[in-house]
Amino acid sequence: MISFDNYEFISEYKNKTLNTVISVLPNYSKTEISNEVLFNFMVGAQLLISSDYADV
């Protein structure tokens, strides 16, 4: 099991039921490479995780 102790911002989502996961394509009009994933939960909460190429 994953410990959420070091990720306090995500702890509010750990007991919510995940509904859908949507992968968002990068914005090709920009020069930077990015990727985003949107998590939709059954209670209406959303969590967007975004990463730039520099983060990898």
Side-chain angles (χ1 to χ4, degrees), residues 11-30:
S11 65
E12 67 182 88
Y13 298 96
K14 69 180 179 181
N15 293 322
K16 291 181 173 41
T17 303
L18 186 60
N19 188 23
T20 59
V21 177
I22 301 169
S23 180
V24 182
L25 294 175
N27 185 349
Y28 291 109
S29 65
K30 293 184 176 182

Side-chain angles (χ1 to χ4, degrees), residues 38-52:
L38 179 64
F39 296 92
N40 291 310
F41 295 88
M42 296 293 284
V43 294
Q46 293 183 319
L47 176 63
L48 177 66
I49 297 179
S50 177
S51 176
D52 289 332

